[in-house]
Amino acid sequence: MRTTPELLAAVAAAAVPGVAPVATGPSPDDAADFRSCVVQDSEGRRWRVRSPLNTEASMRLETEHLVLQAFTPSVRSRLPFHLPTVAGSVAQDGLRTFVYSHLPGHTLSLREFQRQNEHPEPPVHAPSPSATPRAPLAVQLGRSLGCLHSLPRALVMDADLPAYSAEQCRKRMLHDLDQAATTGLIPGDLLRRWEEALEDTTLWQFSTRVVHGDLHEDNITVDHGSLASFTGWSDLHVGDPAVDFSWLVGMSDPAFADTVLEAYSVAAVQPPDRHLLRRAHLKAEFALAEWLVRGVDRGITSMVDNAQRMLTTLAADVRASASPSPGVAGPPPVPPAPPAAPASTASPAPPASPASTASVAASGADRAGDSADDSVDRADSDGRALDGGSAPDNHPSEDGLSPGHHSSEGGSSAASGSVTPTS
């Protein structure tokens, strides 16, 4: 059965007593595994609903529930960001859909992260003249990661979650590389490049940390220039801190990641190892191979084709940049000889960073899905569908919830995206 915002609104009503949905809005998620939306109830409260599409995804949500329970109030008070709280769940056909208390803020694209870092949105309420100026977004990210990675390992181990040594992290990635190679679909020069980085043991001498494990722009919310929350906690473990930095190499400005790392160095209990960003680049590139293997395992041809195209682009970028290893820049380009006669032609742009290309491509692939599942529906406060079908010019309303439409299908009113009243 197709999972729609209407059905997710019905789940929220069934899972959380007293919730009467009146509107739904999109919520970014991994479209290959989940359908998600934000539900607003008649009292103005918002809830995030995540529904798994397969057994593996359902197990991830169950793990996330376990993780969030491990974050006790005392632990949460030590972190400079919010974490979601499970408000209820509903089981159907062996899969469990979870409803979370909605967190403030919204997600940003990589480009928006950079823009708000340089030109932050003003706070809702003007700070007092004596207040400490708000730090740039990159600094807030670094401090938040430093606090997260400084949590005691017992938090993870007591919850019976995975804990790996540095050598185990390296061997697990080598195993994944071997699995990727068996597909025969990955350019050989990329396989050799990654294998050489994994065999360079100097890169893998680091202290493990408590890491989020699945951090990227869709799992971070920002509220008027302030980092508000981290979400998507199904992969919490003790492991390589570079995992939580790999998405940063997709920024077009490498100074952003450098600023994050500098703030992290100050906030973390222990300073980062000097090869952290190199491993982050490696993980960003290798994410495309993991995406391809995932598509092969599931028999999804479109995923495999997209991954192959992105891997081909990555291989071309590596050759163009002459980068000898992930995170290591190639030689600077030789400037062209001056023209014999004056000319106004622009100088060629330098080749893109291989990891930047890979990170952006993988991020886009993770968000690829049916756009119809991100449709936004709305009803008035008494539950009746609004007339007119859509807002003028199809523009969303200021609260991010745009007017919706009547469901064309029959069935229970609780499953309607407009949340029409029951008779």
Side-chain angles (χ1 to χ4, degrees):
M1 181 191 302
R2 181 180 177 79
T3 304
T4 64
E6 293 88 348
L7 292 175
L8 295 181
V11 169
V16 184
V19 169
V22 297
T24 64
S27 178
D29 213 328
D30 183 349
D33 282 334
F34 302 100
R35 289 292 178 264
S36 302
C37 77
V38 174
V39 174
Q40 180 173 312
D41 65 18
S42 58
E43 297 183 9
R45 299 173 299 181
R46 296 191 178 194
W47 313 86
R48 188 188 187 203
V49 186
R50 299 187 76 194
S51 180
L53 300 180
N54 50 65
T55 303
E56 179 185 348
S58 182
M59 291 176 61
R60 287 175 60 189
L61 290 185
E62 296 280 2
T63 301
E64 182 179 45
H65 186 200
L66 179 66
V67 169
L68 294 176
Q69 287 180 318
F71 282 103
T72 62
S74 61
V75 173
R76 290 175 182 242
S77 67
R78 297 163 57 181
L79 298 172
F81 53 84
H82 297 288
L83 292 92
T85 299
V86 174
S89 64
V90 171
Q92 184 179 13
D93 298 329
L95 306 179
R96 184 170 292 276
T97 296
F98 283 84
V99 181
Y100 305 81
S101 56
H102 186 58
L103 297 169
H106 55 279
T107 59
L108 302 177
S109 66
L110 293 178
R111 181 176 299 178
E112 273 296 298
F113 260 107
Q114 294 182 196
R115 188 191 69 78
Q116 288 207 25
N117 184 61
E118 300 169 359
H119 307 288
E121 292 184 0
V124 177
H125 303 291
S128 63
S130 61
T132 303
R134 184 177 58 192
L137 198 52
V139 174
Q140 296 180 53
L141 272 169
R143 291 173 179 173
S144 296
L145 283 173
C147 291
L148 172 62
H149 290 183
S150 297
L151 289 175
R153 291 174 174 82
L155 173 74
V156 170
M157 303 179 76
D158 289 348
D160 201 24
L161 296 171
Y164 306 106
S165 66
E167 179 61 13
Q168 286 174 325
C169 291
R170 187 182 76 88
K171 288 184 176 180
R172 291 180 74 242
M173 198 167 181
L174 270 172
H175 175 270
D176 292 342
L177 178 63
D178 291 340
Q179 185 180 10
T182 60
T183 66
L185 302 176
I186 299 177
D189 49 352
L190 290 181
L191 292 174
R192 289 189 295 272
R193 172 183 175 87
W194 298 333
E195 184 177 14
E196 289 173 0
L198 286 165
E199 295 293 351
D200 183 359
T201 56
T202 60
L203 295 182
W204 301 90
Q205 297 175 5
F206 59 87
S207 297
T208 56
R209 303 279 192 275
V210 174
V211 297
H212 180 283
D214 189 29
L215 197 63
H216 50 77
E217 65 272 23
D218 282 348
N219 280 338
I220 301 173
T221 64
V222 176
D223 187 22
H224 292 87
S226 294
L227 191 149
S229 68
F230 286 172
T231 60
W233 289 92
S234 59
D235 291 321
L236 185 77
H237 66 278
V238 172
D240 186 356
V243 170
D244 289 345
F245 283 82
S246 61
W247 68 283
L248 292 171
V249 304
M251 300 287 186
S252 59
D253 181 7
F256 189 98
D258 292 337
T259 301
V260 173
L261 185 61
E262 181 180 355
Y264 174 89
S265 302
V266 176
V269 171
Q270 293 181 326
D273 66 280
R274 61 193 183 97
H275 295 303
L276 185 147
L277 286 184
R278 286 190 61 187
R279 295 194 309 279
H281 278 77
L282 170 63
K283 293 176 188 297
E285 292 183 14
F286 190 66
L288 294 183
E290 294 175 321
W291 179 254
L292 183 141
V293 171
R294 188 176 172 190
V296 170
D297 289 344
R298 298 185 180 187
I300 304 177
T301 304
S302 59
M303 285 178 62
V304 175
D305 292 342
N306 287 336
Q308 282 190 274
R309 283 194 294 269
M310 292 185 287
L311 285 164
T312 300
T313 301
L314 173 60
D317 287 342
V318 168
R319 290 191 293 270
S321 65
S323 167
S325 181
V328 179
V334 178
S344 59
T345 56
S347 58
S353 163
S356 174
T357 303
S359 180
V360 173
S363 177
D366 281 338
R367 290 194 299 270
D370 188 349
S371 60
D373 290 303
D374 288 334
S375 62
V376 182
D377 301 321
R378 173 165 156 176
D380 60 4
S381 59
D382 68 358
R384 290 182 169 81
L386 293 176
D387 295 330
S390 61
D393 300 324
N394 292 325
H395 289 170
S397 60
E398 293 181 359
D399 63 0
L401 302 169
S402 58
H405 56 276
H406 291 280
S407 173
S408 60
E409 301 176 354
S412 167
S413 63
S416 167
S418 301
V419 200
T420 54
T422 56
S423 55

